């Protein structure tokens, strides 16, 4: 059989690195929602070509963090009610599946890691960590739940919306009128405890409410 001709692989290291750096800047709040992302300025600041920046912005557009680009000005997404509804409805379904799957398959030693992540979250919540660090620690916990589930396609679906969730979550933490820091640790300890228990229905209901509460708070902030 003759080999199927394929295009040569290309290395996009600089574009990948530029995407990582701009993404981190979005998560750190250095580019607020609606802020323009100008190729010339980003290329100069990052020390890369405009082509690398263009590819980086395309990557971030695929992740749902950037709107526009190519022939239109690129801007950081704004947190709209429609975006929140769509993303958090999907997140609720994914999180429930991840949690219930993890409860059935995860062993004790692997669940111990969740307790350590809650401890780290507590240290940040009560130790003066900034909003971006706290939001990242929150998502670290949920990342591990997906790891425990051991379903590669489920994890891929989570990563398809994870960047938007992190940006939206930062928006929630920053404007936390709901006393987020006061209750975030207890909520995650409750999930960790339910993952060790026998009541899958209670776990599913609590995880769904955990996500729905965040959705309601974000929706209220967009009005």
């Amino acid at each position: 059989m003759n080999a199927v001709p394929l295009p040569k692989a290309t290395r996009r290291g600089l574009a990948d690195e530029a995407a990582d750096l701009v993404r981190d800047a979005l998560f750190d709040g250095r580019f607020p929602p609606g802020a323009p992302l100008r190729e010339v300025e980003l290329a100069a600041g990052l020390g890369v070509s405009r082509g690398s920046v263009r590819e980086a912005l395309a990557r971030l557009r695929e992740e749902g963090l950037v709107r526009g680009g190519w022939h239109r000005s690129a801007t950081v997404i704004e947190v709209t009610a429609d975006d929140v509804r769509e993303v958090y409805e999907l997140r609720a379904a994914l999180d429930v599946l991840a949690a219930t799957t993890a409860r059935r398959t995860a062993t004790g030693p692997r669940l111990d890691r969740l307790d350590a992540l809650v401890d780290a979250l507590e240290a940040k919540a009560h130790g003066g960590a900034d909003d971006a660090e706290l939001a990242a620690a929150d998502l670290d916990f949920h990342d591990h739940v997906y790891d425990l589930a051991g379903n590669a396609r489920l994890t891929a679906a989570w990563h398809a919306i994870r960047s938007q969730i992190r940006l939206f979550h930062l928006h929630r933490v920053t404007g936390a009128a709901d006393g987020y820091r006061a209750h975030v640790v207890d909520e995650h300890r409750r999930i960790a405890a339910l993952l060790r228990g026998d009541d899958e229905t209670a776990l599913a209901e609590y995880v769904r409410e955990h996500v729905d509460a965040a959705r309601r708070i974000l929706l209220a902030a967009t009005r």
Side-chain angles (χ1 to χ4, degrees):
M1 180 183 294
N2 293 330
V4 177
L6 294 172
K8 297 296 184 184
T10 58
R11 299 185 64 153
R12 299 171 60 243
L14 286 177
D16 290 340
E17 186 175 355
D20 290 343
L21 291 169
V22 176
R23 187 188 301 106
D24 288 344
L26 300 187
F27 293 155
D28 288 344
R30 281 175 277 167
F31 292 104
L37 297 169
R38 299 183 178 91
E39 285 183 15
V40 173
E41 294 175 5
L42 290 173
L46 296 171
V48 299
S49 70
R50 289 184 64 181
S52 293
V53 169
R54 194 173 300 120
E55 289 185 45
L57 293 177
R59 171 76 59 84
L60 298 180
R61 188 168 60 249
E62 291 172 358
E63 294 178 16
L65 294 177
V66 169
R67 290 200 169 98
W70 295 109
H71 300 298
R72 294 164 46 197
S73 297
T75 59
V76 181
I77 63 165
E78 298 189 63
V79 182
T80 70
D82 285 343
D83 289 335
V84 170
R85 288 191 193 97
E86 289 182 3
V87 170
Y88 277 79
E89 284 174 6
L90 179 55
R91 180 186 177 180
L94 295 176
D95 275 15
V96 168
L97 180 56
T100 54
T101 303
R103 192 202 67 80
R104 295 179 209 139
T105 61
T107 59
R110 296 190 69 206
L111 288 167
D112 290 342
R113 174 64 179 155
L114 279 180
D115 296 329
L117 289 168
V118 177
D119 290 341
L121 181 62
E122 183 173 27
K124 291 185 183 298
H126 304 309
D130 63 29
D131 293 336
E133 292 174 318
L134 187 56
D138 188 326
L139 280 191
D140 284 345
F141 175 92
H142 293 285
D143 283 338
H144 190 59
V145 174
Y146 280 85
D147 288 342
L148 291 175
N151 183 322
R153 288 174 175 79
L154 175 60
T155 299
W158 162 245
H159 280 283
I161 60 171
R162 186 186 185 281
S163 289
Q164 292 179 72
I165 288 170
R166 183 166 175 184
L167 192 65
F168 292 178
H169 191 57
L170 177 61
H171 181 76
R172 175 200 174 183
V173 175
T174 301
D178 61 312
Y180 170 81
R181 285 177 185 259
H183 58 71
V184 62
V185 175
D186 289 342
E187 288 184 8
H188 289 78
R189 284 207 190 281
R190 177 64 174 158
I191 293 172
L194 287 167
L195 279 163
R196 293 179 181 273
D198 297 324
D199 194 339
E200 187 169 300
T201 299
L203 171 63
E205 289 176 351
Y206 191 81
V207 168
R208 185 175 291 107
E209 174 54 28
H210 178 71
V211 177
D212 284 347
R215 177 182 55 79
R216 292 193 298 269
I217 292 162
L218 278 165
L219 284 174
T222 60
R223 292 176 186 148

